[in-house]
């Protein structure tokens, strides 16, 4: 077994927008906007089966369901991210007991808007981060991006001893609503995705948090068309293949092997911080890993109360676990994010 590196993933800060849409609101909206769509009833059944009871969105539903154009939506993404991200970052820095001037790198993982230069440059200019802060925006890993960000932060601190890394996830999925897309995958995504901002700090010193020890990545061959954006003049159109929910069967052995390579047993970890993209993902993963489904309760609660908040899912699950005080010293954990590709980004850690 490898020597433990005392790198700490501290408690995340999470912001959920003030506007809320319930499952019933979603169903009513679908019946109004897609009343003549032959896919409607099947899609509503799938939306109910997700278990998503409410979602937070960045603007009132009356505005979110309009389509003033991709340019306007992207401008709104920029405006709201610059308005809201700094406060989330400040809370994350406070959680880690570090200042902005002590950050060596920013890893920023949005998948629902585009800025050039990245928001990272704006944050350096406006939040007192050092001018030589390394910037790593990651925009094309979708829901797996938070797992990837944790892993890249881990790698960076190992390569630059003594460094602190800031991770930011800004996901306004509601800005990708397409009122003309009536296929089952699009209608399901309309009832599944929510908006959120999250941030967390990885420090080179031990602290109250998860000590990152080992990470791994995996891509299931020939699945790159299963979850994707089709980019049009109207923006991002979400495309979902019906085979996607079956991806836990090939991913579970990869997670098992990662744990085994570290001298751990995937079936006997204390904590599972899992990306919840739907109830079947969690059900299947519990089955193939041979763990009690209750181990995924915090991930499921995130799905129920926030919807699928893209790369912020694992941070919200971890934040909730942290605040409930469930962690015990030495407890082993796996963080796993799944996303477009189909890919998995996995991290093994222990509570310090």
């Amino acid at each position: 077994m490898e020597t433990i590196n005392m790198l700490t993933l501290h408690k995340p800060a999470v912001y959920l927008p003030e506007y809320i849409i319930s499952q019933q609101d979603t169903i009513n909206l679908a019946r109004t906007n897609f009343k003549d769509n032959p896919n409607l009833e099947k899609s509503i059944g799938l939306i109910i089966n997700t278990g998503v009871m409410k979602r937070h969105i960045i603007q009132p539903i009356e505005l979110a369901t309009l389509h003033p154009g991709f340019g306007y939506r992207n401008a709104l993404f920029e405006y709201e991210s610059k308005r809201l991200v700094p406060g989330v970052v400040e809370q994350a820095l406070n959680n880690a007991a570090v200042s902005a001037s002590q950050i060596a790198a920013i890893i920023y993982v949005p998948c629902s808007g585009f800025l050039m230069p990245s928001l990272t440059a704006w944050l350096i200019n406006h939040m007192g981060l050092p001018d030589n802060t390394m910037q790593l925006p990651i925009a094309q890993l979708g829901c797996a991006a938070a797992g990837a960000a944790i892993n890249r932060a881990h790698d960076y601190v190992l390569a630059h001893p003594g460094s602190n890394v800031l991770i930011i996830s800004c996901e306004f999925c509601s800005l990708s609503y397409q009122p003309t897309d009536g296929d089952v995958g699009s209608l399901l995504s309309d009832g599944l995705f929510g908006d959120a901002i999250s941030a967390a700090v990885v420090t080179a010193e031990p602290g109250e948090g998860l000590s990152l020890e080992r990470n791994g990545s995996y891509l299931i061959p020939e699945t790159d068309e299963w979850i994707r954006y089709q980019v049009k003049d109207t923006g991002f159109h979400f495309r979902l293949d019906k085979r996607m929910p079956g991806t836990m069967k090939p991913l579970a052995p990869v997670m098992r092997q990662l744990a085994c390579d570290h001298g751990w047993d995937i079936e006997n970890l204390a904590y599972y911080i899992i990306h919840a993209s739907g109830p079947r993902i969690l059900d299947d993963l519990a089955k193939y890993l041979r763990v009690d489904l209750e181990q995924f309760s915090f991930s499921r609660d995130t799905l129920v109360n926030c919807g699928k908040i893209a790369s912020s899912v694992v941070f919200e699950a971890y934040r909730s676990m942290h605040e409930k005080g469930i962690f015990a010293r030495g407890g082993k954990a796996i963080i796993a994010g799944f996303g477009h590709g189909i890919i998995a980004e996995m991290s093994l850690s222990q509570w310090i």
Side-chain angles (χ1 to χ4, degrees), residues 5-7 102-107 132-136 151-165 202-205:
N5 298 294
M6 302 298 281
L7 285 69
Q102 294 174 292
I103 295 297
I106 310 176
I107 304 176
N132 63 348
T133 301
M134 190 278 291
Q135 303 174 61
L136 181 58
N151 293 346
R152 300 297 76 77
H154 182 184
D155 297 344
Y156 184 90
V157 177
L158 289 181
H160 301 83
S163 298
N164 301 314
V165 180
V202 173
T203 64
E205 302 298 329

Side-chain angles (χ1 to χ4, degrees), residues 102-114:
Q102 294 174 292
I103 295 297
I106 310 176
I107 304 176
Y108 172 53
V109 290
C111 68
S112 51
F114 180 80

Side-chain angles (χ1 to χ4, degrees), residues 82-337:
K82 289 180 177 178
R83 182 175 75 91
L84 296 169
V85 166
V88 184
V89 168
E90 289 285 2
Q91 183 59 59
L93 293 171
N94 290 338
N95 291 346
V98 300
S99 67
S101 63
Q102 294 174 292
I103 295 297
I106 310 176
I107 304 176
Y108 172 53
V109 290
C111 68
S112 51
F114 180 80
L115 279 71
M116 180 70 81
S118 166
L119 183 70
T120 53
W122 184 87
L123 290 169
I124 291 170
N125 285 320
H126 288 80
M127 292 200 68
L129 282 82
D131 294 341
N132 63 348
T133 301
M134 190 278 291
Q135 303 174 61
L136 181 58
I138 306 174
Q140 293 166 299
L141 293 182
C143 299
I150 292 168
N151 293 346
R152 300 297 76 77
H154 182 184
D155 297 344
Y156 184 90
V157 177
L158 289 181
H160 301 83
S163 298
N164 301 314
V165 180
L166 171 65
I167 301 170
I168 303 167
S169 164
C170 183
E171 302 292 14
F172 301 151
C173 303
S174 63
L175 296 179
S176 294
Y177 175 77
Q178 298 292 344
T180 60
D181 287 357
D183 59 283
V184 172
S186 295
L187 292 176
L188 174 59
S189 70
D190 293 344
L192 186 59
F193 283 93
D195 298 347
I197 301 170
S198 57
V201 176
V202 173
T203 64
E205 302 298 329
E208 187 181 50
L210 289 170
S211 174
L212 303 177
E213 298 190 17
R214 189 188 197 108
N215 63 61
S217 304
Y218 183 77
L219 181 146
I220 304 176
E222 306 302 328
T223 59
D224 50 291
E225 294 290 320
W226 289 17
I227 313 175
R228 62 189 179 93
Y229 276 161
Q230 187 175 9
V231 183
K232 301 182 179 181
D233 291 343
T234 45
F236 303 134
H237 293 249
F238 188 73
R239 296 292 178 255
L240 179 68
D241 190 285
K242 63 182 179 182
R243 293 171 290 181
M244 193 282 296
T247 51
M248 292 303 101
K249 186 174 183 178
L251 285 181
V254 176
M255 297 171 66
R256 184 179 300 277
Q257 188 61 51
L258 178 70
C260 182
D261 290 344
H262 201 54
W264 292 2
D265 179 359
I266 194 68
E267 298 177 27
N268 291 298
L269 303 184
Y271 315 109
Y272 298 81
I273 305 171
I274 305 298
H275 175 75
S277 56
R280 182 179 168 185
I281 296 295
L282 297 177
D283 292 347
D284 281 2
L285 192 59
K287 170 185 172 183
Y288 293 122
L289 292 183
R290 295 196 291 271
V291 302
D292 192 320
L293 187 58
E294 183 62 24
Q295 293 277 33
F296 299 158
S297 61
F298 285 90
S299 295
R300 191 177 294 274
D301 286 349
T302 296
L303 182 67
V304 169
N305 296 306
C306 306
K308 185 177 178 181
I309 47 177
S311 62
S312 284
V313 170
V314 293
F315 285 130
E316 169 56 15
Y318 177 32
R319 180 207 61 80
S320 181
M321 296 167 77
H322 201 301
E323 290 195 351
K324 292 289 175 59
I326 72 163
F327 292 109
R329 184 173 180 83
K332 298 178 176 65
I334 186 167
I335 302 170

